[in-house]
Amino acid sequence: MKLSDGVEWGVHCAALLAVIPAGTVLPGKALAEYHGISESYLVKHLQALTAAGILISIPGPKGGYRLARPAAEITVLAIVDAIEGRDSAFRCAEIRQRGPAALEPAVYRLPCPINATMLRAEMAWRKSLRAQTVADLVGGLAKRADQRAVEKTLAWLQERLRG
Amino acid sequence: MKLSDGVEWGVHCAALLAVIPAGTVLPGKALAEYHGISESYLVKHLQALTAAGILISIPGPKGGYRLARPAAEITVLAIVDAIEGRDSAFRCAEIRQRGPAALEPAVYRLPCPINATMLRAEMAWRKSLRAQTVADLVGGLAKRADQRAVEKTLAWLQERLRG
């Protein structure tokens, strides 16, 4: 079981977009450069985040990305769902309905306890990710940020912000 | 993010092995037949469960599998770990250390809050799976089992149990 690299990228990008000034946007190329990742792979994830209503994409030469709503209203779960999809990690194939002891389908109306157990664990995982917002993460990042990194980031942003 | 089919298979097999009489074993071929799944794929997972100390494998023509310890002492998490491995689903690539704002490695001793958030969610998932044992599942399965399925299972087991 593995989450795609896009989850790490998407959450970091959202955290960076949370600190750019209101009314500005940052191009996908800059988001890729800041995180040292492939622009072409990143674009796919930025598009998914845009489709999910987490980012707004402004097209054109003055275009780029910004958050679609306040960072305090974007949960980490929303970003993970946008990039990974909402399918559960455990997918019950109903093997209880196969084999020599199988009965007619009507017998299996209640969910299999094994499926229920696996899905309950995923709900606990989702609940934990829903409890954290991008604003929480930015707060955590800011608290431990080295002042030199903050200054380097601000200088770098200055050259790349648009709008 | 997807768990392998082997998780469903492994948990169902453990639940069936929890109800065979003490001193008996069930061959891998029978475990595959009972669940309507591929024997050759199942064997790999049964070997993983054996390596993890969840099953005991008795070799030879009278051989087969049984639980290595009481069902109440085997958690669902132990089965999932045996089949999926214990790597976390989120694997931080430390992209915070890349790009134009990166500093020397010593600055990044504390874990990234994004990594911490993802791992906290996985701990919640693991805690939920650790709270359920194979005995709990068998109890849940038994409570809703159709009596006809129980009888079919017992008759079928009669022909296949060894030891």
Side-chain angles (χ1 to χ4, degrees):
Chain A
M1 186 170 65
K2 187 177 182 318
L3 288 161
S4 84
D5 294 335
V7 169
E8 183 181 13
W9 301 1
V11 179
H12 272 282
C13 285
L16 183 60
L17 292 174
V19 299
I20 66 174
T24 65
V25 297
L26 201 54
K29 182 185 170 66
L31 284 164
E33 183 192 343
Y34 186 80
H35 297 103
I37 57 186
S38 148
E39 183 188 352
S40 54
Y41 283 111
L42 178 62
V43 161
K44 192 185 72 166
H45 299 302
L46 295 174
Q47 285 168 347
L49 292 167
T50 304
I54 293 166
L55 302 185
I56 285 176
S57 165
I58 309 289
K62 295 214 135 196
Y65 294 90
R66 63 175 175 84
L67 296 186
R69 49 185 198 267
E73 293 170 20
I74 299 172
T75 69
V76 176
L77 180 63
I79 296 173
V80 173
D81 279 349
I83 287 173
E84 283 285 321
R86 292 195 54 159
D87 287 343
S88 57
F90 182 79
R91 298 177 204 161
C92 174
E94 287 287 334
I95 64 173
R96 63 179 178 162
Q97 298 196 34
R98 304 183 192 168
L103 299 171
E104 66 278 10
V107 170
Y108 302 100
R109 262 178 313 215
L110 287 174
C112 177
I114 293 171
N115 191 18
T117 292
M118 299 304 299
L119 296 186
R120 196 159 47 235
E122 291 191 39
M123 284 190 320
W125 180 79
R126 293 179 65 80
K127 184 179 172 188
S128 178
L129 293 181
R130 197 184 291 114
Q132 287 284 312
T133 68
V134 172
D136 296 330
L137 292 177
V138 169
L141 288 161
K143 206 157 53 180
R144 67 184 58 173
D146 189 293
Q147 192 54 34
R148 291 169 297 155
V150 173
E151 280 160 21
K152 282 170 112 173
T153 298
L154 291 174
W156 180 89
L157 279 173
Q158 207 60 38
E159 307 282 308
R160 281 151 189 93
L161 286 172
R162 295 175 179 173
Chain B
M1 186 170 66
K2 190 179 181 315
L3 287 160
S4 83
D5 294 337
V7 169
E8 183 180 12
W9 300 2
V11 180
H12 272 282
C13 285
L16 184 60
L17 292 175
V19 299
I20 66 174
T24 65
V25 296
L26 201 52
K29 182 184 168 69
L31 283 165
E33 184 191 343
Y34 186 80
H35 297 104
I37 58 186
S38 148
E39 183 188 352
S40 54
Y41 283 110
L42 179 61
V43 161
K44 191 185 72 165
H45 299 301
L46 295 174
Q47 285 168 346
L49 292 168
T50 304
I54 292 166
L55 302 185
I56 285 174
S57 165
I58 310 288
K62 295 215 136 199
Y65 294 90
R66 63 175 175 83
L67 296 186
R69 50 185 197 267
E73 293 170 19
I74 300 172
T75 68
V76 175
L77 180 63
I79 297 173
V80 173
D81 278 349
I83 288 172
E84 284 284 321
R86 292 194 57 160
D87 287 342
S88 58
F90 181 79
R91 297 176 205 161
C92 175
E94 288 286 336
I95 65 172
R96 64 178 176 160
Q97 298 197 34
R98 305 183 192 168
L103 300 172
E104 66 278 11
V107 169
Y108 303 100
R109 263 177 313 215
L110 287 174
C112 176
I114 294 172
N115 191 20
T117 292
M118 299 305 298
L119 297 186
R120 195 158 50 234
E122 291 191 40
M123 285 191 320
W125 180 80
R126 294 179 65 80
K127 184 180 173 189
S128 178
L129 293 180
R130 197 184 290 114
Q132 287 283 312
T133 68
V134 172
D136 296 329
L137 291 177
V138 170
L141 288 162
K143 206 156 55 179
R144 65 184 59 174
D146 190 292
Q147 192 53 36
R148 291 169 298 155
V150 173
E151 280 160 19
K152 283 170 111 172
T153 299
L154 291 174
W156 179 89
L157 280 173
Q158 208 59 39
E159 308 280 309
R160 284 156 187 89
L161 286 172
R162 294 175 179 173

